[in-house]
Amino acid sequence: MTGDRHTQVVIIGGGQSGLAAGYHLRRLGVDFVILDAQSTPGGAWQHTWDSLHLFSPAGFSSLPGRLMPPQPGEEYPDAEHVVAYLGDYEKRYELPVQRPVRVLGVHRERELLRVETDSESWHARAVISATGTWWRPFLPAVPGRRDFEGVQLHTVQYRRPQVFAGQRVIVVGGGNSGAQIAADLALDSDVDVTWVTQRPPRFLADDIDGRALFDVATARRRALDEGRTDTGGVASLGDIVAVPPVREARDRGLLTARPMFTRFHADGVESADGRRAGVDAVIWCTGFRPALSHLAPLNLRGARGHIPTDGTRAIGEPRLHLLGYGDWTGPASATLIGVGRSARDAAGEIAHLLRG
Ligand code: FAD
């Protein structure tokens, strides 16, 4: 440790969620710092596969205060465009982001929280954790997985189909990443790709994109706020947004899901009916868990690796807010357009706490 510093609020994570929180704290006149483990702006968007595009147009993918400009020639912007937008956003609002700084642990220290990093410690009256999920890929347990001698990678390591030229590849997972990566590979004629899912994939109607999903999340929030029955949120509509490459691969008959295999062998996989297939690579598009290990010292863990919250506020530690991890930290809060609302609520509650 080289130092010990003080501020009113520490925001952990400088992706879109951390920036949205910074925007609202700044408006409320609160002092804060944003600590981000990456060397450059953009959070997880810096690490996605080459062909990834947003599932909503630019105008519907904006953080508070500043509309995302359209990307010339693209209705749905690519990840590089998002990275540029986030870099511009933090400059425009002069958000105090320190990089690269990794938070190792958050500890209670009398009336303050001590945020221990790989370079120094910060003391703050409140903390917002906005560390995302990209950094904790999830792989399910499948018998024989360790015996498989081919390549295994997760969504977070996939970049482009050319790497798999001439190979037999299995893509596992019935969500957006699985469908998009299977489509990316299937549209490249040099790859022999099989897409497997645990249950039949549920495509959203072709005219539904992120805009409609946001509307549904908003309606759900309104219903819950007014004490009406839960409308079920976006999951009730389906799992997979039919973005243009997914639609193309599906319409060309290249995107037909097969049931999940039941075990691995050294050179491939075996299905429930005992049939074996040779495989060179398996790409696990099986989701993420929230990256919360830095909060372990606070002892707040609830079910499924989540921390129980009321809105964004941790129930077991009212000085801690969690932002952007999924619907459990606010409807649509794990999206560009959705996180602003939860960030505003978190910042408002913290300003109130600081005044008290
Ligand atoms: P991140 O972008 O992950 O940022 C978190 C930051 O915290 C990172 O910079 C990380 O390095 C840092 N960090 C982590 N741990 C620490 C630590 N201990 N100390 C310091 N810093 C730390 N949303 C949309 O709105 N539209 C889309 O089209 C869309 N497509 C998606 C496609 C994919 C494949 C995925 C996975 C998600 C998509 N999302 C989309 C959802 C969401 O917008 C992104 O996941 C987004 O990156 C979440 O932003 P975040 O700021 O919460 O987390």
Side-chain angles (χ1 to χ4, degrees):
M1 287 304 130
T2 56
D4 196 6
R5 304 181 63 178
H6 284 73
T7 184
Q8 287 183 303
V9 181
V10 170
I11 299 173
I12 308 171
Q16 65 200 36
S17 302
L19 300 189
Y23 171 89
H24 281 294
L25 287 178
R26 165 73 35 90
R27 280 171 70 98
L28 292 168
V30 173
D31 281 336
F32 63 96
V33 65
I34 302 177
L35 307 177
D36 187 37
Q38 302 296 293
S39 305
T40 46
W45 295 106
Q46 301 170 78
H47 303 283
T48 60
W49 61 93
D50 294 354
S51 69
L52 178 75
H53 283 66
L54 292 182
F55 51 62
S56 311
F60 294 84
S61 304
S62 304
L63 294 180
R66 164 130 175 90
L67 269 185
M68 180 185 286
Q71 179 175 12
E74 302 281 359
E75 185 184 4
Y76 296 93
D78 63 21
E80 216 175 298
H81 188 72
V82 181
V83 170
Y85 168 71
L86 295 178
D88 173 69
Y89 188 90
E90 62 181 62
K91 246 196 252 147
R92 177 174 295 259
Y93 293 111
E94 298 178 346
L95 299 176
V97 189
Q98 300 207 356
R99 297 195 169 88
V101 177
R102 177 166 294 282
V103 171
L104 305 175
V106 179
H107 306 262
R108 294 186 182 92
E109 215 170 83
R110 291 179 295 279
E111 74 282 9
L112 297 177
L113 291 170
R114 179 169 59 83
V115 179
E116 182 198 347
T117 79
D118 53 6
S119 52
E120 58 195 351
S121 276
W122 285 84
H123 284 89
R125 292 181 60 194
V127 165
I128 297 178
S129 184
T131 48
T133 58
W134 185 260
W135 327 94
R136 262 198 80 203
F138 172 76
L139 273 73
V142 177
R145 182 149 73 81
R146 284 173 199 278
D147 305 331
F148 179 57
E149 289 171 0
V151 172
Q152 292 186 61
L153 63 164
H154 186 270
T155 309
V156 300
Q157 286 127 358
Y158 176 74
R159 290 294 171 274
R160 60 193 69 90
Q162 291 77 12
V163 172
F164 299 97
Q167 296 189 26
R168 298 157 302 175
V169 181
I170 292 190
V171 176
V172 184
N176 283 300
S177 305
Q180 287 185 32
I181 289 176
D184 203 34
L185 290 160
L187 293 170
D188 186 302
S189 54
D190 289 338
V191 185
D192 173 4
V193 59
T194 306
W195 181 34
V196 303
T197 59
Q198 206 119 41
R199 53 178 186 165
R202 300 187 314 149
F203 290 94
L204 291 150
D206 286 3
D207 59 346
I208 293 191
D209 64 14
R211 279 172 287 199
L213 297 179
F214 180 68
D215 289 345
V216 172
T218 306
R220 182 186 194 202
R221 176 167 175 130
R222 212 166 281 146
L224 293 174
D225 286 352
E226 292 167 7
R228 288 185 279 123
T229 321
D230 189 348
T231 53
V234 293
S236 60
L237 296 179
D239 300 316
I240 300 167
V241 181
V243 293
V246 165
R247 222 177 294 165
E248 184 188 344
R250 186 200 60 194
D251 294 349
R252 284 170 53 187
L254 302 172
L255 203 58
T256 312
R258 303 235 196 104
M260 176 64 187
F261 52 86
T262 51
R263 66 165 298 116
F264 276 102
H265 293 283
D267 59 351
V269 298
E270 184 177 319
S271 341
D273 60 9
R275 264 192 293 180
R276 287 168 71 149
V279 177
D280 300 303
V282 174
I283 305 177
W284 296 100
C285 302
T286 40
F288 305 86
R289 296 288 182 263
L292 298 175
S293 59
H294 55 290
L295 301 177
L298 298 174
N299 231 349
L300 297 168
R301 280 288 168 107
R304 299 195 311 278
H306 295 183
I307 287 178
T309 52
D310 179 5
T312 57
R313 181 170 37 81
I315 288 172
E317 176 47 82
R319 297 168 294 182
L320 173 69
H321 287 252
L322 293 110
L323 193 59
Y325 296 100
D327 282 354
W328 63 281
T329 53
S333 73
T335 63
L336 283 153
I337 194 173
V339 73
R341 200 161 45 188
S342 301
R344 185 194 59 206
D345 294 350
E349 281 193 41
I350 287 175
H352 183 73
L353 174 93
L354 296 177
R355 279 196 298 272

